[in-house]
Amino acid sequence: MKQKIIICLAVCFLFSAIDVLAQKTETNAKSIAIELIIDKTDSVNCRIFYGLSKNGKEILPAKYDFLFNEDVMLFVFYDKHNLYIYDIYANRVMHKTFELPLDKDSYVGFEQVRDRIDVQCYELRVYFFNSSWGSEGVGTFFFKDGHTYRLENTPRIIQIN
């Protein structure tokens, strides 16, 4: 009976020590509050528009279509002619303007590519007119060790965050 009580007390002590360490880790963590802003005012076309805010400050107004890829940790916002890419810390990675409109027949999406052996890469492509002949690549990205990278056409790799 004494052994069970001692074991029970040891387990309780162990859990309380783990709880104290967990609380200490949380207080030292840097907190960044990133939120999607959602606007549902276009009830005629049943569309939802998105924006982005960081720590309560609006970065992008809620007037864009939205795409997120969790493998590369990137937010993509786009409207008729503009495309904005943000990382998970709400830092702007890229802004691109298109001559052709991104309308209901367009598609924006990430496609898996095999540019590197050690990580999975994704290319962000925009398809105009809902076909592959009218497409444009925006960039190739990968996520490794907590950072997002963009591959260029040259052998150079750019760290985004």
Side-chain angles (χ1 to χ4, degrees), residues 67-130:
L67 173 68
F68 177 72
N69 185 310
E70 69 179 72
D71 291 332
V72 291
M73 298 296 186
L74 289 177
F75 297 98
V76 179
F77 298 91
Y78 56 96
D79 63 4
K80 194 169 186 175
H81 289 286
N82 295 302
L83 183 132
Y84 297 94
I85 303 173
Y86 285 86
D87 64 5
I88 57 172
Y89 304 108
N91 299 319
R92 184 163 37 168
V93 173
M94 183 185 293
H95 170 246
K96 187 152 178 96
T97 303
F98 298 102
E99 290 182 28
L100 294 172
L102 293 168
D103 56 9
K104 64 179 178 62
D105 294 326
S106 300
Y107 171 74
V108 177
F110 285 95
E111 295 179 359
Q112 280 186 314
V113 293
R114 296 190 182 269
D115 282 350
R116 292 179 54 114
I117 296 171
D118 57 338
V119 292
Q120 185 59 54
C121 297
Y122 290 86
E123 181 179 12
L124 179 62
R125 294 200 64 81
V126 177
Y127 292 95
F128 303 99
F129 316 117
N130 204 9

Side-chain angles (χ1 to χ4, degrees), residues 1-139:
M1 184 70 171
K2 278 187 173 182
Q3 284 182 329
K4 289 183 182 180
I5 293 174
I6 292 173
I7 291 174
C8 183
L9 289 174
V11 169
C12 289
F13 176 75
L14 180 65
F15 284 136
S16 65
I18 290 172
D19 186 44
V20 168
L21 289 174
Q23 289 175 358
K24 195 173 193 179
T25 306
E26 287 177 3
T27 57
N28 291 334
K30 184 173 146 183
S31 65
I32 299 174
I34 298 173
E35 293 180 335
L36 279 176
I37 304 169
I38 299 173
D39 184 11
K40 299 179 184 178
T41 57
D42 190 8
S43 59
V44 175
N45 297 322
C46 297
R47 291 189 59 194
I48 299 173
F49 294 106
Y50 299 91
L52 187 66
S53 72
K54 178 180 179 179
N55 295 330
K57 182 181 175 189
E58 185 179 276
I59 296 173
L60 278 178
K63 64 176 191 173
Y64 298 97
D65 289 308
F66 166 73
L67 173 68
F68 177 72
N69 185 310
E70 69 179 72
D71 291 332
V72 291
M73 298 296 186
L74 289 177
F75 297 98
V76 179
F77 298 91
Y78 56 96
D79 63 4
K80 194 169 186 175
H81 289 286
N82 295 302
L83 183 132
Y84 297 94
I85 303 173
Y86 285 86
D87 64 5
I88 57 172
Y89 304 108
N91 299 319
R92 184 163 37 168
V93 173
M94 183 185 293
H95 170 246
K96 187 152 178 96
T97 303
F98 298 102
E99 290 182 28
L100 294 172
L102 293 168
D103 56 9
K104 64 179 178 62
D105 294 326
S106 300
Y107 171 74
V108 177
F110 285 95
E111 295 179 359
Q112 280 186 314
V113 293
R114 296 190 182 269
D115 282 350
R116 292 179 54 114
I117 296 171
D118 57 338
V119 292
Q120 185 59 54
C121 297
Y122 290 86
E123 181 179 12
L124 179 62
R125 294 200 64 81
V126 177
Y127 292 95
F128 303 99
F129 316 117
N130 204 9
S131 67
S132 61
W133 69 266
S135 69
E136 184 176 335
V138 177

